[in-house]
Amino acid sequence: KAGAVISIVVNFSGMVPEWEEIAAVSMAVQNMYLTCTANNIGCYWSSPKIVDGLKESLTIEENQKCLGLFYLGSLENVAM
């Protein structure tokens, strides 16, 4: 029941090793986590099997890869 879903896509530039590009995207996602937490928004990063089939619908180019989906939602109705 996510209010929004963001695709997490890395763009491989070829200028640095691929692991550095993935690390940079991961740090950006961590910043999204921190922002959500500060604003009382529930969120998580998931990499379900469906990600492999999203290439066409997300118009992912040859030098890009979808690393997962970032789900965001309200914490109002969540039992803790």
Side-chain angles (χ1 to χ4, degrees):
K1 296 184 179 183
V5 180
I6 300 170
S7 58
I8 301 168
V9 179
V10 61
N11 184 54
F12 298 111
S13 67
M15 298 173 66
V16 296
E18 286 187 6
W19 73 266
E20 287 185 17
E21 302 277 16
I22 293 170
V25 170
S26 300
M27 288 185 279
V29 173
Q30 181 175 4
N31 286 336
M32 293 189 321
Y33 266 110
L34 294 171
T35 300
C36 287
T37 300
N39 290 287
N40 203 33
I41 298 170
C43 63
Y44 69 97
W45 176 353
S46 181
S47 300
K49 286 275 188 195
I50 193 173
V51 168
D52 297 333
L54 293 177
K55 187 171 185 171
E56 289 181 19
S57 63
L58 293 176
T59 60
I60 294 177
E61 298 175 14
E62 290 299 318
N63 65 323
Q64 298 176 327
K65 182 178 181 181
C66 183
L67 299 179
L69 302 172
F70 191 72
Y71 299 85
L72 299 97
S74 173
L75 292 175
E76 292 179 9
N77 297 319
V78 177
M80 295 197 178

